[in-house]
Amino acid sequence: MTVSLDQLRRCSVAVDLGAARTRVYLKNTGLVVDEPSVAAVDCHTGSLVAVGETAERMIGRTPDHIRVVRPIASGIVVDVEMAQRMLRHLIGDKLSKAWRRKPIMRAAVCVPHGSEPMAQRAAVETLTGLGARRVELVDTLIAAAVGCGLPVEYPEATMIVVCGAATTQIAVLSLGAIVAAETIPVGGEVIDRAVIQHLRNQHALMLPSQAVRPLHRMLETTATGQGPSSIEVHGMDAASALARSVRVDTESVRLAIRTPLNSVLDGIRAVLRRCPPDLVADLADRGITLAGGSALLPGLDTMLRTTTGMPLVVADSPGNCAVRGLGAMVEGKARPMALESVQSIG
Ligand SMILES: Nc1ncnc2c1ncn2[C@@H]1O[C@H](COP(=O)(O)OP(=O)(O)OP(=O)(O)O)[C@@H](O)[C@H]1O
Ligand SMILES: [Mg+2]
């Protein structure tokens, strides 16, 4: 079912449930939640111990009776009840105030491109459990393109690559609709896992997941030739379990992440191949807009620019593009267009 921007304008809250981060935009207020999609639960009492940033800091550091969970995977709510509890805590009383003002609350939620009806239903259930009477589903690619300020309603091609934590979604849009799109199960998480696995295989070092970020700087060296050629990392020796440091060189990390990065490139090529030549010609000028939190991965933009030979810009606050686009839609600030990929489930 197709809904118009009029229906989205009636929503009072916009939500992006990401594998890594949950973002909530409240109409007339702005972004009120931008926190990790993580909850920590006490297994003895079943009560929530922490959510968001606090819960994320607990990963790998909890006693046996505390379980740290991620209720959203690949942009899909896999544990509806936990997602509701997490959202309720993250939002606090902000939503209930909005809800009191407007008792028949409508919510807009973005869902990954091509998501299954079951996944869409889980997103709807999560929001209805929080008091929404009606939930409008918007394709993440459309929301992100609007959030990046792309002129999607014109008869000209625009290309967006949303590189999130669990997935990379790629689309060419024209006249407010998706012409060709692809979702690849590769994002920041897969890239981080490849680096962790490499250190384990090559150096017998177990790296805490939160220690991967400094290694990202090395990727910049491989893409731009600037930055450190090697970096010292601290972890746990896989055999002795003692703390140990190793010096890791740039080239080995580049090789470790070559496979996931090639998948992103293949996805871009597959989408371009399915587009009519006129639209691809537009893109030679206009280029690619890179969004999603992993767009901040140092050197990713340079690597994609070099390998595709197309101009590429990284969106402002790339992780927030989708929720920003949804926000513009609920505020009635998105330019008029036929949103083919918007669905409404009531
Ligand atoms: N400065 C940075 N450098 C490298 N990676 C980053 C940086 N900031 C965020 N990321 C990565 O971006 C990812 C989070 O991006 P984003 O917030 O778009 O994900 P998400 O929307 O929760 O995921 P998805 O859309 O796949 O469900 C994480 O994997 C994180 O490691
Ligand atoms: Mg996302």
Side-chain angles (χ1 to χ4, degrees):
M1 193 198 299
T2 305
V3 290
S4 63
L5 281 173
D6 279 342
Q7 275 162 303
L8 285 167
R9 219 173 283 144
R10 287 191 219 139
C11 296
S12 44
V13 59
V15 183
D16 175 8
L17 298 167
R21 297 188 79 85
T22 292
R23 297 166 173 108
V24 180
Y25 181 101
L26 217 52
K27 196 172 190 170
N28 303 322
T29 308
L31 191 66
V32 291
V33 175
D34 180 5
E35 296 249 9
S37 310
V38 185
V41 192
D42 185 324
C43 299
H44 293 160
T45 61
S47 58
L48 267 192
V49 178
V51 291
E53 306 281 357
T54 322
E56 192 178 51
R57 279 200 297 273
M58 293 180 175
I59 293 175
R61 297 193 165 88
T62 53
D64 280 350
H65 69 285
I66 308 271
R67 205 162 50 94
V68 181
V69 292
R70 290 186 176 271
I72 302 153
S74 312
I76 292 163
V77 182
V78 287
D79 183 342
V80 171
E81 195 208 323
M82 192 54 72
Q84 286 173 347
R85 292 173 75 188
M86 180 189 77
L87 266 173
R88 211 171 277 126
H89 272 75
L90 287 176
I91 294 168
D93 64 352
K94 295 173 196 117
L95 190 59
S96 54
K97 275 186 213 147
W99 192 68
R100 273 201 298 274
R101 275 200 303 270
K102 215 169 189 177
I104 304 173
M105 192 191 77
R106 285 175 179 235
V109 186
C110 56
V111 286
H113 178 78
S115 56
E116 299 288 326
M118 280 262 288
Q120 298 184 0
R121 181 56 61 186
V124 172
E125 269 177 35
T126 304
L127 269 295
T128 46
L130 290 177
R133 297 292 167 84
R134 195 179 167 89
V135 180
E136 317 287 358
L137 296 181
V138 181
D139 191 308
T140 296
L141 283 164
I142 297 264
V146 171
C148 291
L150 295 178
V152 283
E153 71 279 20
Y154 291 115
E156 276 171 40
T158 48
M159 184 170 209
I160 184 154
V161 176
V162 183
C163 196
T167 58
T168 295
Q169 300 171 64
I170 304 159
V172 169
L173 301 111
S174 178
L175 287 169
I178 291 172
V179 178
E182 191 88 13
T183 300
I184 300 159
V186 166
E189 284 174 357
V190 171
I191 293 170
D192 287 357
R193 265 204 304 277
V195 174
I196 290 172
Q197 196 59 45
H198 165 72
L199 288 173
R200 180 139 199 188
N201 295 346
Q202 297 296 312
H203 301 277
L205 190 80
M206 289 164 76
L207 195 69
S209 56
Q210 281 129 341
V212 181
R213 195 58 68 78
L215 281 168
H216 288 159
R217 283 188 52 228
M218 296 170 67
L219 309 180
E220 196 163 23
T221 316
T222 64
T224 63
Q226 289 161 0
S229 62
S230 69
I231 203 165
E232 190 165 74
V233 291
H234 314 285
M236 184 176 93
D237 188 277
S240 68
L242 295 173
R244 187 158 69 87
S245 304
V246 294
R247 191 152 271 282
V248 185
D249 74 292
T250 303
E251 183 58 16
S252 67
V253 174
R254 188 182 69 81
L255 290 176
I257 62 162
R258 199 176 43 181
T259 309
L261 292 186
N262 279 345
S263 307
V264 174
L265 258 177
D266 290 344
I268 293 176
R269 289 194 189 112
V271 168
L272 289 173
R273 232 175 272 129
R274 294 209 300 274
C275 286
D278 296 69
L279 292 183
V280 178
D282 288 348
L283 293 172
D285 241 16
R286 202 180 279 280
I288 302 170
T289 301
L290 191 58
S294 300
L296 294 171
L297 202 68
L300 179 65
D301 53 342
T302 315
M303 189 280 277
L304 291 177
R305 214 175 277 126
T306 316
T307 45
T308 59
M310 290 163 71
L312 180 143
V313 288
V314 177
D316 286 340
S317 310
N320 287 346
C321 287
V323 80
R324 210 160 54 222
L326 279 184
M329 291 175 197
V330 303
E331 297 282 7
K333 288 182 183 156
R335 282 177 290 223
M337 58 180 173
L339 288 174
E340 202 183 57
S341 305
V342 178
Q343 265 193 325
S344 154
I345 298 180

